[in-house]
Amino acid sequence: MVSCYSSHGMVRQSWDLFSSMRRSGFPGDGFTFSALLGARASSSCSDHAKLLLLLGISVHGLVIRLGLHLDVVVATALLDMYAKCGRVAEASRVFDAMVLRNTISWNAIIVCYGQHGGGKEAFELFVCMMRDGCCPDELTLSSLLSSCADMAAANEATQLHAYIVKIGFQDFLQVGNALIMAYGRNGFVQEATQMFGMIPNPDLVTWSSMVSSFAYLGLAKSAVHLFDRMLQQGIQPDGVAFLGVLSACSHAGLIEDGFKYILLMMRDYKMDPTPQHLSCLVDLLGRSGRIKDAYDFVVNMPFEADVDVIGAFLGACRMRGNIESAKWAASKLFSLKPNDPVNYLLISNTYAAAGAWSELAKVRSVMRNMCGNKVPGCSWIEIGGIVQTFVSNDMILHQSREMQKMMDLVSLVERYCNDDDIICNDPSLV
């Protein structure tokens, strides 16, 4: 019964039944605790996230007291519970303490790191998994490909693809979908398109992945055409598919198509648009210069606009230099998330673009008081299979001095190249 409640998402009922079971003199076994921890992991309600984590921690303590933490199934369930709650450090400690590991436990920790920005660590774990003699499955490979998409690791994506073909996993639909996203996010549109064409029976995820890849690469017409093809094939779209095509319309300024799809979503498929869908429409109007229409759309929404929608409107105001509307949007953002540095950066960039330096100084002062030191935005480049990250004026990299010397040399050569007399008379450049 505990497992039945848990598998149907009835968390409270499963926990109450377990408490009654304990009071009746039955301590529970590995199957019982695996079911309970599965219930903790399967629930995604944000309102109860802290409570669910506390319940999971209490189960963890009871598991240790009963010595069941040595059971690979129970330990994997513990790991998965912490991973789904976003507690990567705790999940890693559970994994490190495991005496026995199987493919499922390796997958759980790899997925954990991949979903929380630890793509590099996920690949290091994959290497350890192979050395441990444990064979990966389609979940392992698709998770690693998702990490390739998130951190723009093109070299790793191509190597994984070669390994997938070698072990004969290219026919798994889940792997094919992940390959489309990995190639698309790395800018390899031809490879992504080829992968899409190689899948004999594409499902909704396949179509959505290709539409999103086209939108991500700025190929709006291709995204719209493929979305229409999907509808003609009788595939019923979901919110993710609509978000992909709306994003494409937004980037290309396709106003008629954007509103056509949002009406199609609401009228024909009876789906309520999320703030992400509506923010695409606001961005679409703003990019087209229709700030007044974007403002009317925001204030007349059936529910209060959230951070995504207001942020999209503020971005449109910055693009068009509309200071007054930007101030209104900034005040809304500050009331919704007063400690988020991104909101202050948006309005400060708007002031900077308009040359309003006094207003910019005021916002930066408030930002320092409210947010402290912000985490700087970074860029990255993959060299020799290693992703290097850096920020503006970064001197942390051990190659920084060599890079600066090379830049000085390039600047010197450029100055010489602009003066023909100096080039002819300077033997050092021969």
Side-chain angles (χ1 to χ4, degrees):
M1 282 303 298
V2 170
S3 176
C4 177
Y5 281 134
S6 298
S7 61
H8 287 82
M10 304 173 70
V11 177
R12 176 57 61 184
Q13 291 87 336
S14 65
W15 184 264
D16 291 342
L17 188 62
F18 173 72
S19 299
S20 300
M21 175 181 171
R22 295 273 298 172
R23 288 193 298 268
S24 300
F26 298 96
D29 57 8
F31 181 81
T32 310
F33 289 105
S34 298
L36 280 172
L37 292 166
R40 303 284 83 75
S42 63
S43 178
S44 58
C45 180
S46 58
D47 295 335
H48 301 106
K50 292 182 179 179
L51 174 61
L52 295 178
L53 179 60
L54 290 174
L55 292 175
I57 292 173
S58 66
V59 171
H60 191 176
L62 185 57
V63 164
I64 292 176
R65 287 197 297 272
L66 294 174
L68 291 173
H69 61 288
L70 301 176
D71 187 301
V72 64
V73 177
V74 177
T76 302
L78 276 169
L79 191 165
D80 189 58
M81 180 273 297
Y82 283 122
K84 296 293 177 60
C85 292
R87 307 299 288 264
V88 180
E90 288 84 349
S92 181
R93 282 196 289 268
V94 172
F95 179 79
D96 292 338
M98 292 178 67
V99 178
L100 297 175
R101 297 166 181 162
N102 56 18
T103 301
I104 298 175
S105 54
W106 280 104
N107 284 348
I109 192 64
I110 289 173
V111 170
C112 174
Y113 274 106
Q115 290 180 341
H116 295 89
K120 181 179 178 180
E121 291 80 0
F123 273 94
E124 292 173 352
L125 285 165
F126 174 64
V127 173
C128 295
M129 175 183 182
M130 298 289 288
R131 289 175 179 171
D132 199 42
C134 197
C135 297
D137 60 7
E138 64 273 17
L139 177 59
T140 318
L141 299 170
S142 59
S143 177
L144 290 169
L145 288 168
S146 297
S147 296
C148 292
D150 293 337
M151 64 180 187
N155 187 50
E156 284 78 2
T158 54
Q159 289 185 22
L160 267 179
H161 192 181
Y163 176 73
I164 288 167
V165 173
K166 179 180 178 181
I167 62 176
F169 273 47
Q170 69 273 15
D171 293 331
F172 282 92
L173 184 60
Q174 184 179 3
V175 175
N177 294 339
L179 277 168
I180 292 173
M181 288 300 296
Y183 279 128
R185 290 301 178 94
N186 280 282
F188 298 144
V189 62
Q190 184 175 357
E191 287 77 1
T193 306
Q194 287 176 348
M195 280 305 309
F196 178 79
M198 291 172 61
I199 297 177
N201 297 306
D203 62 357
L204 175 59
V205 178
T206 313
W207 288 94
S208 300
S209 298
M210 197 66 236
V211 169
S212 298
S213 295
F214 280 139
Y216 182 80
L217 298 172
L219 303 173
K221 291 184 178 180
S222 297
V224 169
H225 176 69
L226 188 66
F227 186 83
D228 291 338
R229 274 184 55 197
M230 181 184 75
L231 298 182
Q232 294 171 3
Q233 293 288 332
I235 304 294
Q236 182 167 342
D238 60 357
V240 176
F242 274 110
L243 186 61
V245 72
L246 287 172
S247 177
C249 295
S250 172
H251 290 301
L254 304 177
I255 295 179
E256 293 184 0
D257 287 326
F259 279 91
K260 178 188 74 174
Y261 289 124
I262 201 72
L263 289 175
L264 182 71
M265 176 181 179
M266 299 171 61
R267 183 184 57 204
D268 293 0
Y269 293 98
K270 311 301 180 184
M271 297 171 60
D272 294 327
T274 66
Q276 288 77 19
H277 296 108
L278 298 178
S279 64
C280 286
L281 293 181
V282 173
D283 185 63
L284 173 58
L285 292 170
R287 286 174 183 266
S288 303
R290 297 168 57 175
I291 300 296
K292 179 63 168 59
D293 293 335
Y295 173 80
D296 293 339
F297 183 83
V298 171
V299 297
N300 293 318
M301 286 171 54
F303 50 84
E304 186 176 358
D306 71 346
V307 175
D308 292 331
V309 177
I310 300 296
F313 179 71
L314 180 54
C317 294
R318 179 181 64 83
M319 186 181 302
R320 296 294 172 176
N322 193 318
I323 297 295
E324 295 303 318
S325 297
K327 288 182 178 179
W328 173 84
S331 65
K332 291 286 187 180
L333 284 178
F334 296 157
S335 63
L336 290 171
K337 283 193 174 183
N339 298 320
D340 190 348
V342 175
N343 300 333
Y344 296 90
L345 288 175
L346 284 172
I347 187 61
S348 63
N349 291 338
T350 304
Y351 287 140
W357 306 115
S358 59
E359 297 290 341
L360 172 62
K362 293 178 183 178
V363 172
R364 289 294 175 91
S365 177
V366 174
M367 177 180 172
R368 283 192 294 270
N369 294 330
M370 295 297 294
C371 308
N373 295 324
K374 73 179 183 73
V375 178
C378 66
S379 301
W380 63 87
I381 185 172
E382 185 180 358
I383 303 175
I386 300 175
V387 177
Q388 301 282 358
T389 59
F390 54 93
V391 299
S392 178
N393 296 321
D394 191 354
M395 299 300 292
I396 297 177
L397 293 174
H398 66 276
Q399 305 99 329
S400 295
R401 292 185 178 180
E402 290 80 0
M403 292 166 63
Q404 188 60 50
K405 289 180 180 178
M406 179 59 68
M407 289 299 300
D408 293 340
L409 178 60
V410 171
S411 299
L412 179 62
V413 172
E414 184 179 11
R415 288 201 301 272
Y416 274 119
C417 290
N418 291 329
D419 193 328
D420 294 337
D421 295 335
I422 295 179
I423 290 179
C424 295
N425 298 327
D426 192 342
S428 66
L429 295 178
V430 178

